[in-house]
Amino acid sequence: MSHIRRFAPVGITVAGLDTATAFFVGLGLDVEGRMFVEGEFVDIVIGVMLRPPEGGPGQELSSFVRPEHEPGSSTAMANELGLRNVAFEVDDLQATVDRLAADGYGLVGGIGQYENIWRMA
């Protein structure tokens, strides 16, 4: 039986590629590259690959030029199908949230605490 040997990038399809890229750069990721993809399985996709400064698994953002995307709900409940979360470990959660808030980003919910072990936002 084969076992997973490495974690690959997480892919997220976004409507505003530049805005989403700026958010993840503000979080501390570096832009590794940006490309256009055309082919039979897609008309045109623009993609950005981001990685932590010290390397490791990346974050892939994609935005479809054609076909146009179907808007999703920005208030989707946790039990709805789709991407549930993407996790990053940071040194200071409150400082990271404050820094991103200064750039105009906000939390969907609040900051939670799990059994005095870790915090999440």
Side-chain angles (χ1 to χ4, degrees):
M1 172 188 270
S2 178
H3 296 283
I4 295 174
R5 297 174 48 98
R6 201 178 101 177
F7 174 74
V10 172
I12 301 175
T13 301
V14 299
L17 188 62
D18 292 334
T19 301
T21 299
F23 170 79
F24 285 105
V25 167
L27 192 56
L29 298 179
D30 295 327
V31 174
E32 183 177 88
R34 184 176 178 128
M35 69 176 146
F36 291 86
V37 178
E38 295 182 75
E40 291 182 27
F41 68 101
V42 296
D43 284 343
I44 301 175
V45 177
I46 304 169
V48 173
M49 177 60 74
L50 302 119
R51 290 201 190 277
E54 54 282 340
Q59 175 69 55
E60 179 183 318
L61 302 176
S62 300
S63 184
F64 286 78
V65 176
R66 284 191 313 267
E68 290 188 36
H69 71 279
E70 292 291 326
S73 171
S74 61
T75 59
M77 296 295 292
N79 64 341
E80 290 188 36
L81 298 178
L83 183 64
R84 177 70 181 110
N85 62 42
V86 177
F88 298 94
E89 182 178 338
V90 297
D91 291 326
D92 185 334
L93 179 59
Q94 188 62 58
T96 301
V97 168
D98 292 344
R99 187 178 69 249
L100 291 170
D103 290 337
Y105 301 102
L107 295 176
V108 174
I111 295 177
Q113 177 94 22
Y114 176 74
E115 296 184 359
N116 292 323
I117 298 171
W118 46 263
R119 297 173 70 207
M120 61 186 164

